[in-house]
């Protein structure tokens, strides 16, 4: 991935869009060791990755545990924000310049997961819904006790 935007008033090399994966401290790769998502998450957690099981205001399942898992990375100094998706040992990784861009990608991923299973909200929008049009209750990480909609 590459990024082409740079603001002269900002010291950050990337202010929007995808960023090179080389900025990540540890790149989670395909993980076929006979384990599952829990094993994979334990392997990448020391490098700053956080497993995310729930998404949206009501905490709907994000993926199909333990076969699928999602992990997020927030770099120190807000340099980049990444998403890693584990599916039965295969791993894909993407990184963005902002948390909002990364979370919008996770919003779309969540809609896709929910449309192919009974683990999500019955009233979730179609997966083709543009991220800016996804209703607030279906966006963002789940925060227990958060009543904002």
């Amino acid at each position: 991935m590459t990024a082409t935007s740079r603001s002269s008033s900002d010291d950050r090399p990337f202010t929007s869009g995808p960023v090179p994966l080389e900025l990540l401290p540890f790149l989670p790769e395909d993980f076929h060791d006979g384990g599952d998502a829990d094993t994979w998450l334990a392997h990448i957690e020391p490098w700053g990755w956080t497993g995310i099981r729930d998404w949206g205001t009501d905490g709907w399942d994000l993926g199909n545990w333990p076969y699928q898992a999602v992990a997020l990375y927030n770099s120190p100094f807000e340099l980049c924000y990444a998403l890693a998706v584990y599916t039965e040992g295969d791993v894909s990784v993407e990184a963005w310049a902002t948390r909002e861009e990364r979370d919008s990608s996770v919003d779309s991923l969540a809609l896709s997961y929910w449309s192919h299973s009974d683990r999500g909200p019955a009233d979730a929008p179609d997966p083709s819904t543009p991220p800016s049009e996804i209703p607030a209750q279906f966006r963002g990480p789940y925060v227990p006790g958060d009543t904002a909609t």
Side-chain angles (χ1 to χ4, degrees), residues 52-87:
I52 304 296
R53 288 188 185 221
D54 304 309
W55 200 254
T57 59
D58 287 343
W60 296 285
D61 289 344
L62 183 58
N64 182 10
W65 207 267
Y67 309 106
Q68 289 178 316
V70 173
L72 303 180
Y73 173 76
N74 300 327
S75 73
F77 312 110
E78 301 179 350
L79 185 59
C80 69
Y81 299 86
L83 159 67
V85 178
Y86 167 98
T87 304

Side-chain angles (χ1 to χ4, degrees), residues 6-135:
R6 181 179 171 97
S7 169
S8 60
S9 64
D10 191 342
D11 290 338
R12 293 178 61 210
F14 307 101
T15 57
S16 69
V19 299
L21 296 180
E22 292 80 18
L23 293 176
L24 302 175
F26 172 77
L27 189 59
E29 298 176 354
D30 290 352
F31 195 78
H32 299 280
D33 75 338
D36 59 15
D38 284 320
T39 307
W40 176 72
L41 287 172
H43 177 71
I44 66 173
E45 184 178 30
W47 296 95
W49 292 87
T50 302
I52 304 296
R53 288 188 185 221
D54 304 309
W55 200 254
T57 59
D58 287 343
W60 296 285
D61 289 344
L62 183 58
N64 182 10
W65 207 267
Y67 309 106
Q68 289 178 316
V70 173
L72 303 180
Y73 173 76
N74 300 327
S75 73
F77 312 110
E78 301 179 350
L79 185 59
C80 69
Y81 299 86
L83 159 67
V85 178
Y86 167 98
T87 304
E88 295 184 333
D90 296 328
V91 178
S92 63
V93 181
E94 296 178 89
W96 294 267
T98 68
R99 180 187 317 257
E100 292 77 16
E101 290 171 313
R102 190 264 324 268
D103 287 357
S104 287
S105 184
V106 180
D107 294 339
S108 295
L109 179 66
L111 291 183
S112 176
Y113 282 156
W114 298 335
S115 72
H116 294 99
S117 75
D118 60 356
R119 297 172 180 251
D123 59 342
D126 185 86
S128 64
T129 303
S132 63
E133 296 177 18
I134 297 173

